Amino acid sequence: SGDAVGFRIMAEAGVLPEEIGLKKQIARQREVLAGLTGPEAQKTAMAELARLEMRHAMAQEARRAFLRD
């Protein structure tokens, strides 16, 4: 697919696409959230997770819009 080709070209150039980096951050944040027990800490971690997921969705949409044009 077009995505795979684009990601491969970036990987060969040594560039990590923003959405891949965000995906890794989301996975780490989910691990942090899973280890928390206090409601206030969970709330803070969930807010950060939501922020990262929103940035990831925006990066995906930006890539799709770029590939459409």
Side-chain angles (χ1 to χ4, degrees):
S1 81
D3 290 349
V5 171
F7 285 151
R8 191 188 68 201
I9 291 169
M10 284 192 252
E12 289 172 358
V15 178
L16 187 65
E18 180 185 17
E19 64 186 277
I20 300 300
L22 287 168
K23 206 172 182 182
K24 290 179 180 182
Q25 290 178 28
I26 289 169
R28 281 194 301 270
Q29 187 63 22
R30 285 190 174 136
E31 289 174 5
V32 168
L33 181 59
L36 297 175
T37 56
E40 202 55 42
Q42 287 176 331
K43 182 178 177 182
T44 301
M46 287 174 68
E48 177 62 12
L49 179 59
R51 187 186 71 77
L52 290 169
E53 288 175 336
M54 180 179 62
R55 285 186 56 209
H56 182 254
M58 290 169 62
Q60 284 181 319
E61 182 55 33
R63 177 184 45 83
R64 288 184 189 124
F66 176 77
L67 293 175
R68 265 192 303 251
D69 294 338

